[in-house]
Amino acid sequence: MRTKNISKIVLSIAAIGMLSTSVQATDWIYGAGTEPDFIKVDGKKVENHNNTPHFWGFVQVGYQKNYGDIFTPSAGAKAGLNLTPFSMLTPNLDSQSGFEVNRARLAVRGMMDKENKLDYFFMTEFGEDGVTKPAGHSANNYLTDASITYRGIPYFNVRLGQFKYPGSEEGLRAVFASTYRNFSTAGSQLLLERFLPNNATEIKPGIFQAAPEQSVGAYRDRGVELFHKMKIADKTMLTWAGMIGSGTGLSSSNASGSPTYYGYLAAEYLFGKGKGYYTQSVKGFAWYQNGKRQLNNKDYTRERYGIGMNYFHDGLRVGAEYIKAKGMIYNGAKDVDHDPYGQNWEYQIAADKANEADGGYVNLQYFFVPKKWEAMVRYDYLNRLTNSTADERKFKTTTIGLSYHFKGPTRIDVNYAFRDADAPGNAKAQKVLDNTGNLLSIQATLKF
């Protein structure tokens, strides 16, 4: 308990301290939702009136090896079931090592008029990840983004469609920019939403389980967003956003009879160098989301909020974020195939709002050879189902890495994650978690 409190204090102090200064390594909300107001032509800064569609994309390919052990009981009610999904590779959970095409995305963006009042953004996914193969099941979905932004109203922009909701920095960040192959544990389990069909099986009061029938949420939703960026002092920018979403992620199905609400506020002090992910600045941010999810025709509250900071200057990047979750807590993937030579995975959700979790991360990166070689280390943790002695799980991961940058985001990343998991109030569950192993990831990113 003492370690948990210390972790909360450290992350909160770091985040709040930076929030009082200003906030953000790059403005992901504005960058994704709008086209630039100014561009450079022949070395001169001019207003942007270019409405030619801009086609682009990126591919991430690599290799992963999970050093965990597989535990499959040979007798009893769980005979033949793989009880160690954490020892398998996502998204299919059917192997411990292999080569992968993690993401293969094609996109087009631009403005419909020459006045830059109506902008659009569309992106597709053809890789093998939680969007296309959640827990090894086909999602029949290849569209991640489809939005239009109207910029003709003073003091705010209006964005409609399917896009990243205003929230966690880890979720908002362009995934091709990150030098980590995998999200933090808290980001993955608390924010990368898994959806269950309404007719999911209630295996015990408030605990539901079913095979996924749609993509993971991918930090996205469908709805309408109002957002704006303003200069509040010399080199200091303030960004705010509010969104009303369907709460369905990348699906058109209705999560419940009520919408999901999102709020976001960030402040950023610019040091005056760099652009995009490499904008040299210090940023603080806070966000909140609340909505309903329907299971067995009953609405359950899903609430999330967080605070964090980012700093990038002269090759040094520092980031931290704290996340709190109430209700609809992802409780892992569960194998339901008793054949010891096969797996059939389902998602399990602890739906009631009394179920709580919290987590976060602290990240440090440094270009020890400017614009070429970068070293990194990230510590992340997750305390899941803290309201239950028997069901509480604690995850701690320290990831070290090295990246070689060819140009911009085109690079090779090598990550090695030291992973630990505990069930402090459940000795039987601890014996299963003792099979947790480390994870090696090698990934090449090509942006074109």
Side-chain angles (χ1 to χ4, degrees), residues 12 14 35-36 80 105 146 149 176 246 284 336 344 351 428-429 445:
S12 297
E35 292 302 295
R105 299 188 181 181
T149 302
F176 62 78
S246 64
V336 296
N344 181 19
K428 186 176 181 180
T445 297

Side-chain angles (χ1 to χ4, degrees), residues 103-120:
R103 298 182 181 91
R105 299 188 181 181
L106 296 174
V108 61
R109 62 181 301 167
M111 60 179 78
M112 295 183 178
D113 60 336
K114 288 185 175 292
E115 300 305 316
N116 202 1
K117 298 297 184 184
L118 201 59
D119 300 342
Y120 59 87

Side-chain angles (χ1 to χ4, degrees), residues 323-343:
I323 301 165
K324 178 69 178 181
K326 298 180 181 181
M328 297 301 293
I329 305 297
Y330 175 61
N331 202 30
K334 310 297 179 182
D335 182 20
V336 296
D337 186 352
H338 286 271
D339 181 353
Y341 300 103
Q343 295 95 27

Side-chain angles (χ1 to χ4, degrees), residues 30 34 117 149-159 225-232 238-242:
Y30 220 79
T34 66
K117 298 297 184 184
T149 302
Y150 179 62
R151 306 181 64 193
I153 304 174
Y155 306 116
F156 64 88
N157 306 284
V158 183
R159 192 179 188 189
E225 176 187 48
L226 304 183
F227 65 99
H228 186 56
K229 177 175 67 175
M230 66 187 76
K231 186 175 182 179
I232 58 175
L238 181 72
T239 300
W240 64 265

Side-chain angles (χ1 to χ4, degrees), residues 75-263:
K78 296 183 178 180
L81 299 180
N82 184 343
L83 303 184
T84 50
F86 46 80
S87 293
M88 315 301 290
L89 296 180
T90 58
N92 293 315
L93 301 175
D94 61 358
S95 66
Q96 289 192 285
S97 64
F99 293 92
E100 60 184 6
V101 180
N102 184 32
R103 298 182 181 91
R105 299 188 181 181
L106 296 174
V108 61
R109 62 181 301 167
M111 60 179 78
M112 295 183 178
D113 60 336
K114 288 185 175 292
E115 300 305 316
N116 202 1
K117 298 297 184 184
L118 201 59
D119 300 342
Y120 59 87
F121 182 95
F122 295 87
M123 179 179 284
T124 57
E125 170 68 281
F126 298 100
E128 195 164 273
D129 57 13
V131 173
T132 58
K133 294 294 290 292
H137 299 271
S138 178
N140 298 313
N141 181 52
Y142 301 95
L143 184 67
T144 62
D145 298 83
S147 70
I148 294 176
T149 302
Y150 179 62
R151 306 181 64 193
I153 304 174
Y155 306 116
F156 64 88
N157 306 284
V158 183
R159 192 179 188 189
L160 298 166
Q162 176 178 293
F163 50 89
K164 285 189 174 183
Y165 55 72
S168 165
E169 178 78 4
E170 188 176 27
L172 282 174
R173 180 180 56 221
V175 71
F176 62 78
S178 175
T179 53
Y180 293 101
R181 160 60 179 81
N182 296 297
F183 294 114
S184 69
T185 312
S188 175
Q189 295 200 27
L190 301 183
L191 300 179
L192 194 64
E193 189 171 2
R194 278 77 166 178
F195 295 90
L196 297 185
N198 186 26
N199 63 354
T201 301
E202 189 171 10
I203 60 174
K204 56 183 179 180
I207 307 296
F208 295 86
Q209 187 170 308
E213 296 181 357
Q214 68 180 79
S215 305
V216 299
Y219 302 100
R220 290 165 168 84
D221 200 2
R222 295 181 173 187
V224 55
E225 176 187 48
L226 304 183
F227 65 99
H228 186 56
K229 177 175 67 175
M230 66 187 76
K231 186 175 182 179
I232 58 175
D234 185 38
K235 297 184 179 180
T236 303
M237 306 299 295
L238 181 72
T239 300
W240 64 265
M243 178 177 175
I244 300 176
S246 64
T248 58
L250 305 183
S251 171
S252 59
S253 62
N254 188 23
S256 72
S258 61
T260 295
Y261 301 95
Y262 304 86

